[in-house]
Amino acid sequence: MLTPQADASTFIHEAGHTFNLPHTFLKRGGSWFSEGITLEQGTTDNIMDYDYNFKNNDKDPSNDVNLITNKISLWKFQWDIMRKDPNLIELVKK
C-alpha cells in the first residue's frame, strides 16, 4: 500500500478492508465480492470501488462510460458491517 502511486483515497480504501468492507464490484472471475452487489467497477463514488480501470473494453469511443474518480461515500450496509464488528465494539466498551 505504501507505494509512490498510493494517495489518501488508497489509504482510506485499504483502511475500509480492515473494517471487513469488501469491494463493491465484480471480481475478475465473474463472481461478486458482496452478495447482492452487482455494480460495475468504477461506476460509483463508493470508497470501496476502484477508479482506474476503463469500462470500455472494445475501444469503440461510442461505448465509453465516464468513470467516477472521487470516492467519498459509504453505503448503509457498509456502516452496518463496521457497526457489527466485535473488535470495534470492544474498543468502544473500554
Side-chain angles (χ1 to χ4, degrees):
M1 185 185 128
L2 297 175
T3 66
Q5 296 82 16
D7 57 12
S9 65
T10 302
F11 178 80
I12 293 167
H13 173 94
E14 296 304 326
H17 287 306
T18 68
F19 293 109
N20 297 318
L21 297 181
H23 292 131
T24 56
F25 52 83
L26 185 65
K27 288 184 185 180
R28 285 191 182 111
S31 62
W32 298 101
F33 280 103
S34 299
E35 187 64 34
I37 302 296
T38 57
L39 301 168
E40 294 294 326
Q41 181 175 324
T43 59
T44 73
D45 66 348
N46 192 278
I47 290 167
M48 299 311 294
D49 195 356
Y50 283 172
D51 62 0
Y52 60 81
N53 285 342
F54 293 104
K55 179 99 167 55
N56 179 2
N57 292 325
D58 64 11
K59 308 301 181 211
D60 179 353
S62 65
N63 293 328
D64 283 352
V65 174
N66 291 328
L67 298 179
I68 299 171
T69 57
N70 293 325
K71 305 301 180 188
I72 58 172
S73 70
L74 287 173
W75 299 325
K76 182 182 181 311
F77 88 92
Q78 293 167 315
W79 287 107
D80 290 344
I81 289 171
M82 291 186 293
R83 187 178 56 82
K84 293 175 185 172
D85 185 326
N87 297 315
L88 294 176
I89 293 169
E90 289 302 315
L91 285 175
V92 170
K93 287 180 181 177
K94 291 180 180 179

